[in-house]
Amino acid sequence: MSVEVRARERTTWVGARRKRVEDRRILVGGARYTDDFDPPGVLEVAFVRSAMPHARISSIDTSAAAHTPGVHAVFTGADLRRLGFGELAVKWIYDGQRCLSQPLFATDKVRFVGEPVAAVVAESRYVAEDAAEQILVDYEPLDPVVDVKSAIAAGATRVFDDWDDNVMVRAVLGGGDFERAAAEADLVLREEFASHRHTAVPLEGRGAVASLDALTGILSIHTSNQAPHRAKTHIAEYLRWPEHRVRVIAPDVGGGFGVKDRAAVEEVFVALAATQLGRPVKWVEDRREHFVSTNHAREQVHQVEVYVRRDGRILGLRDRLLSDIGAYASTAVGIGPTITSADLLPGPYDIQSYEVELLAVATNKVPSGGYRGFGQPQATFVMERIIDRVAAELGIDPAEVRRRNFIAPDAFPFTTATQVTYDSGDYETALNRALELLDYDRWRTRQAAANNGARLIGIGLSSIVEMTGEGPSPAFGRRGSRISGYEHASVELDSQGCATVSLGLSPQGQGHQTVFAQVCADELGIHPERVRVVQGDTAMTPYAVAGAIGSRGATLGGAAVITACRRLRTRLLRMAGHMLTASAEDLEIVDGFVCGRHDPQVELDLAHVASELLLGHDLPEGLDPGLVEHAIFDPTSLAFSFGTHAAVVEVDVDTGLLDILDYVIVYDAGRVINPLIVEGQLVGGLAQGVGAALLEELVYDADGQLTTTTFMDYLLPTSVEVPSVRVELMETPAPFNPGGIKGVGQGSTIAAPAAIANAVEDALRSRGAVVRRTPLSPDVIWSLARDRSVTPDGGVP
Amino acid sequence: TINGQTSHATVPSRMLVSDLLRHEFGLYGTRVGCEHGVCGACTVLVDGVPARACLMLAGQVDGATVTTVEGLAEHPESLTPVQQAFHEEHALQCGFCTPGFLISATDYVERLTEMPTDEEIREAMAGNLCRCTGYQNIVRAVRRAAKQRLEGATP
């Protein structure tokens, strides 16, 4: 009898539209977010928050609150000082920066509406809120600094008494030969563009539950967070505890998008209170608190001067960037988003002379920080508006102006005027494909036909780059940041040949468990169902400080998993070679079996190899027992994803209402691990971009009060406002990443506001409209259709 | 009656249904996203009708029949067609809004008499906010579940 031996077939999991393994728990209501943890005896916190944007605190009377039944403790800034606790340090300090820390509670003066002044810890949140209302704070009001331009005017009220003005950072980046640019230019464009204040608004707000185990002395903190290891380091540092006595767990997290990148003052207070009171302590913010305390983002004014040749080529670009930081620099990222806006403003374009003077300015508003895109949406809005203004001024098609300015595909690695190196790209191919998918010419014809009625059609393009996988670590150091660029993974195989992958990186809905299992499955030659991914608990995962920010999960987490798996595979094949008396180079792992590369007769169950390697009874010389490998992947280069969004809008000039008629995304994020998830990121990011372009705005009145603190005032896009969209992926592998993977989380949020803004101006071109600011709410569109001189701050002069 | 089981609790008169379900009965699947009735994450069925648990006081559901996300599927191992459709179409990311969407979508799909257009589905789902997915896959999931129910119902 002969046995037919067929070679095992290799299945490739990277690239497969694998459905998510995370879903089942969520779908049956079994996911657990921070507020779902109610340890026995838990006390709850209500913060007393400043009702004043800017005032001196003359007294705080907590006596009535302290005597309210059910109240366990009341804390003010003075109490914390007595206990020996200081302010929370800012972990990203740019050259020459002022504002190096933020107090947990304001003591001498309050600097924004919502700033914590005191906290009540009580039996329940209901009781804590009642008692918080009993706390009397006497304020001596000061003039609020609400607007970035008046903040830098001579004689402006100062947010910090010991500064001589309100400027946190002044810096000049880039450079070039502007004399030559001016001499060769046929057109000099001077414009002011503004990006308005808005922010991430994840559906789950921030929160923390801290418990001190009296027997082990370990403080455990469940917190809705993007970076549990970073939170652990910073909480331990603040409490002056050894890190191994602090355990941070990010359980299921209901979205982050940048605003959960740290332990902020509230989470640090919860940890502190648990250590002081010896009872578990919990705080979960409500939606109003979220709006008045979780970081805001993106408020910038750009005053640009652009030198252009008559063929549309941009020779030089000067920018003066005024960034409204709010009352404090982000404790996590300082003024990082402003620096990134300045660094990356030229986007995909080859602009030889580019210089930006940036002023990061303190105002009496909620501190700003990271939000999906990290400064790039603002920069893109400015750059893509410039391109379309140039096109309109010169009478050239905006797609053609983009082509004439793109960095050429053979110019990579390309170093910009601000010394940022782009790794790879093919911008024109993405643009051309987007135009083709949209059927650009047909829309231009329709647009011309519709040009006389009350409903006008406009087409908007936005070509972008997305900085992903930020590193290497020394690059963070050069920019003043106390985080690192690497990601850290371990992979362990058990006696049955099943893998456990652990990462310091922690997810908020990105599908990490699904995609890292795919990556591991390919590297180890096993089915992804045999891979478990562990994340989110600092006690169970290897240290990586950065967290899931800046589109780094897939690219750097993926690279760390690949590297660890390859090391483990080498061990497995050496062991298998020993068992089979074959050379390891002639073996591979396919479908859970070690197989001969050239001889299908050779086959050994991976589980057998694994259990022998774990036992260590009979090992080849020089091989230690055990089946765990670690890898720290610190990138040598940034990975730049890129693509083009193309939007078609219809504007009703009588009502100012806008419909998005068609929307196309062509995007290249390098090698795609799971297209289902990548498309999900692109469409989800688009929704936030639509919100930014049309709906969402954090509005302060002249008295410094935030007037948008509910979902009735701050409008998130619903299923009706977000258009249906066609997505097509390109794959230019990242050259400096073992998997060729780039990041994708931020791309659509970066691109969409500019695409929509360009489409609106295009629709209203015949009316002479110039879009200088977002959001494009119906009243703004209505005004644009009537008066070309609508100013960046929305008012008509 | 909550998810088919009679449940009793004595609570302060001001307690919200969302807090009752979550912190008294441990039914954490009902999420609290805004506490002012806009986001829809806390949507449950009260006597068969979708309601915002954050806008109701516990006393208002005294004697009522309440269904939460935990009560949609008959067994913990099984998924309803709507839940399955959300999985197939990748209609969830962080999952915080998902229970509310599942309740709204289940109610909507059950009441359909003919296949809706995508626009109608978008209108029907506009009472729930999602910050992750951009809605496109939620629309696809509801379409898939609607198709399955209507085609299953037609002989």
Side-chain angles (χ1 to χ4, degrees), chain A residues 474-718:
Chain A
F476 280 101
R478 281 194 293 276
R479 299 170 85 201
S481 167
R482 296 292 300 167
I483 68 170
S484 308
Y486 63 81
E487 285 302 330
H488 192 170
S490 76
V491 56
E492 185 160 16
L493 211 65
D494 63 23
S495 61
Q496 296 164 14
C498 293
T500 302
V501 172
S502 313
L503 294 107
L505 191 73
S506 183
Q508 307 80 49
Q510 300 94 327
H512 283 181
Q513 293 186 10
T514 305
V515 296
F516 292 134
Q518 287 176 264
V519 169
C520 172
D522 273 5
E523 294 299 329
L524 293 185
I526 56 178
H527 194 283
E529 280 175 9
R530 289 171 70 173
V531 183
R532 193 167 81 89
V533 177
V534 176
Q535 293 178 280
D537 182 343
T538 59
M540 295 169 67
T541 57
Y543 188 78
V545 72
I549 55 163
S551 306
R552 51 186 294 119
T555 173
L556 301 182
V561 171
I562 288 171
T563 310
C565 286
R566 287 181 185 171
R567 288 176 185 165
L568 188 65
R569 187 176 60 196
T570 303
R571 294 174 62 74
L572 286 162
L573 291 179
R574 274 191 70 191
M575 184 67 198
H578 179 66
M579 291 166 75
L580 291 163
T581 54
S583 162
E585 289 82 58
D586 294 334
L587 301 173
E588 59 182 347
I589 313 173
V590 179
D591 196 19
F593 287 84
V594 176
C595 305
R597 281 183 192 276
H598 316 293
D599 180 0
Q601 303 274 4
V602 174
E603 190 177 280
L604 191 57
D605 191 330
L606 185 66
H608 188 191
V609 181
S611 56
E612 288 304 314
L613 193 44
L614 281 170
L615 282 172
H617 294 177
D618 178 12
L619 300 175
E621 203 174 310
L623 187 66
D624 296 328
L627 270 173
V628 62
E629 286 288 354
H630 282 261
I632 289 179
F633 183 82
D634 203 345
T636 55
S637 161
L638 295 160
F640 277 85
S641 298
F642 61 92
T644 290
H645 284 215
V648 181
V649 304
E650 187 176 56
V651 172
D652 185 325
V653 297
D654 293 331
T655 62
L657 290 172
L658 171 145
D659 272 335
I660 299 175
L661 302 181
D662 200 2
Y663 204 101
V664 165
I665 298 172
V666 174
Y667 209 68
D668 191 322
R671 187 145 179 251
V672 170
I673 303 171
N674 184 330
L676 192 70
I677 284 174
V678 167
E679 288 162 15
Q681 287 288 323
L682 290 170
V683 178
L686 168 67
Q688 294 188 9
V690 168
L694 302 176
L695 299 166
E696 299 173 35
E697 183 169 19
L698 294 157
V699 180
Y700 278 87
D701 68 14
D703 298 326
Q705 293 288 337
L706 181 63
T707 62
T708 49
T709 59
T710 74
F711 283 154
M712 261 114 54
D713 314 296
Y714 189 90
L715 303 177
L716 296 187
T718 73

Side-chain angles (χ1 to χ4, degrees), chain B residues 31-79:
Chain B
R31 309 288 170 204
V32 177
C34 71
E35 284 184 296
H36 51 267
V38 181
C39 79
C42 68
T43 307
V44 295
L45 296 176
V46 177
D47 292 328
V49 179
R52 307 287 208 221
C54 77
L55 292 185
M56 295 180 83
L57 294 170
Q60 290 175 273
V61 293
D62 191 9
T65 299
V66 176
T67 304
T68 69
V69 66
E70 290 93 344
L72 287 177
E74 276 182 43
H75 308 288
E77 308 83 45
S78 64
L79 295 179

